[in-house]
């Protein structure tokens, strides 16, 4: 029996890897060698080699030797070779297909849109517009509070300026005191305690003022040194046996004063030039019941800027914050280091300083004079001056003094004089420090505005004023 041998050789073809797939196709080519027969499939058997593939390339090789029955077989069948080739083609097609997970929405092949930045959603940003209108900037809370405070202060100050302008324009001619303006006698009252070293210099500085003061009264609060003798030696009138307490001491000095104007001056405060003329000019308006100077706290070679600014600002911010209506009607809060001055008749009409207060007696006087307004004696003098003046307008009718009283509701104006400051020694604050001294003044002022009792103010005074200048 003639033996026919048929050999099928499957040649391996290497395909280079594609950039978009992880495997490459492989093609197999089979060659059928059949000797003496016309059929390549009938009754044959074949044997094939194995195929291999990698992650970046795929290859397949197979070789088969086909022989008719009776021949020696060297491989797998031809049908198995065809099955291997079909499997290779299926793997190649699947590897070449696009991955739906790398495509955009719907598998369109487009890259997906980038994710939104963190915290940029409408629900995550309180300043974002939920309707898609963009981001609306919202200032932080401290900025809003400062803006509201600025609007409030500006509104109160504007109302006060309008009220002052109205009174000056409509009632100015009815409230002048020519006698005060031209020759009002000024009595300087100086409370002192253990000021032997500086009282002589203080009295000399007051005497050097031009125009000159009418008299200088030094009230000793029970000093343990030679303050009273030094004051008398400098030419001042000395009052003793009063006891400690500036309010009590200044009341005692005012009770013996003979001037038309009382000027209260601390022993360590120096008045600017022209202080007497400035006080006379301001108090020649009957509506103005109390005046003071711009404060400046200094020691040789140094000025306490923070403390000086606070002493200036608290003239305004206390009434604006705590008594805005009274501020519009003329209230300002002055303190002893501003060298306060008022008419003697008005001072005595309200009973002077509150001697029971260990501190803030000067601020209390401002409030009392504002509420009381010009005294009856002051209004009578203003009415007499207006009646004798050609500036009186009869078309506005009535007694000028009654017109003023009716319109202003008896409220007096407290003013801080412009110009050069009154310089107060910072010897106490040099040891305290400007920040602590400012803190002490703010705390005591706020407690006083809040209505603290005499005992509470006294306890606060004893706790915070830890030096010998009391």
């Amino acid at each position: 029996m003639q033996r026919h041998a048929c050999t099928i050789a499957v040649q391996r073809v290497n395909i280079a890897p594609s950039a978009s797939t992880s495997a490459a196709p492989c093609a197999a080519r089979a060659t059928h060698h059949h000797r003496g027969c016309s059929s390549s499939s009938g009754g044959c058997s074949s044997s094939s080699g194995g195929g291999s593939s990698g992650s970046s390339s795929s290859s397949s090789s197979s070789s088969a030797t086909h022989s008719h029955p009776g021949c020696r077989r060297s491989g797998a069948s031809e049908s198995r070779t065809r099955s291997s080739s079909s499997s290779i083609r299926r793997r190649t097609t699947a590897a070449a297909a696009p991955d739906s997970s790398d495509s955009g929405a719907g598998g369109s092949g487009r890259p997906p849109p980038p994710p939104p930045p963190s915290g940029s959603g409408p629900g995550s940003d309180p300043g974002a517009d939920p309707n898609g209108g963009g981001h609306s900037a919202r200032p932080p809370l401290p900025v809003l509070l400062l803006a509201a405070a600025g609007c409030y202060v500006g509104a109160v100050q504007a109302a006060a300026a309008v009220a002052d302008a109205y009174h000056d324009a409509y009632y100015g001619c009815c409230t002048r005191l020519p006698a005060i303006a031209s020759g009002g006698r000024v009595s300087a009252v100086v409370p002192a305690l253990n000021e032997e070293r500086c009282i002589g210099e203080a009295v000399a500085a007051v005497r050097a003022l031009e125009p000159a003061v009418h008299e200088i009264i030094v009230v000793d609060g029970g000093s343990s040194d030679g303050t009273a003798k030094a004051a008398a030696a400098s030419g001042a009138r000395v009052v003793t046996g009063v006891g400690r307490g500036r309010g009590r001491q200044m009341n005692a000095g005012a009770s013996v004063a003979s001037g038309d104007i009382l000027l209260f001056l601390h022993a360590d405060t120096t008045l600017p030039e022209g202080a007497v003329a400035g006080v006379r000019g301001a108090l020649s308006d009957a509506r103005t019941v109390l005046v003071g100077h711009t404060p400046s706290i200094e020691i040789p070679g140094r000025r306490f800027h923070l403390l000086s600014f606070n002493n200036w600002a608290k003239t305004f911010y206390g009434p604006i914050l705590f008594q805005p209506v009274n501020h519009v009607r003329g209230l300002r809060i002055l303190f002893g280091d501003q060298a306060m001055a008022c008419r003697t008749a008005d001072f005595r009409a309200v009973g002077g300083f509150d001697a029971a207060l260990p501190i803030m007696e000067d601020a209390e006087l401002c409030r009392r004079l504002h509420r009381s307004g010009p005294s009856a004696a002051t209004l009578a003098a203003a009415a007499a001056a207006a009646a004798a003046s050609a500036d009186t307008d009869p078309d506005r009718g009535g007694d000028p003094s009654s017109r003023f009283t009716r319109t202003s509701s008896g409220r007096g104006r407290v003013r801080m004089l412009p110009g050069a400051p009154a310089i107060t020694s910072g010897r106490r604050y040099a040891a305290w420090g400007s920040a602590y001294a400012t803190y002490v003044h703010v705390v005591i002022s706020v407690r006083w505005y809040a209505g603290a009792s005499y005992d509470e103010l006294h306890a606060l005074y004893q706790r915070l004023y830890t030096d010998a200048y009391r």
Side-chain angles (χ1 to χ4, degrees), residues 348-401:
R348 291 174 178 172
V350 299
F353 291 99
D354 188 346
L357 283 174
I359 197 170
M360 300 295 289
E361 74 285 341
D362 35 22
E364 180 63 26
L365 179 66
C366 295
R367 190 160 62 180
R368 293 165 71 179
L369 283 171
H370 166 71
R371 290 174 177 173
S372 176
S375 63
T378 300
L379 288 176
S389 173
D391 293 335
T392 303
D393 187 357
D395 295 335
R396 291 179 180 174
D399 181 14
S401 62

Side-chain angles (χ1 to χ4, degrees), residues 200-213 216 270-276:
E201 183 179 350
V203 172
V206 175
R207 285 197 176 278
L209 292 175
E210 185 62 38
V213 299
I216 303 174
T270 303
L271 290 170
E273 296 182 3
V276 173

Side-chain angles (χ1 to χ4, degrees), residues 251 254 262 264 342-353 365 369:
N251 282 343
L262 298 173
F264 299 101
C342 64
R343 289 180 293 267
T344 305
D346 299 340
F347 179 84
R348 291 174 178 172
V350 299
F353 291 99
L365 179 66
L369 283 171

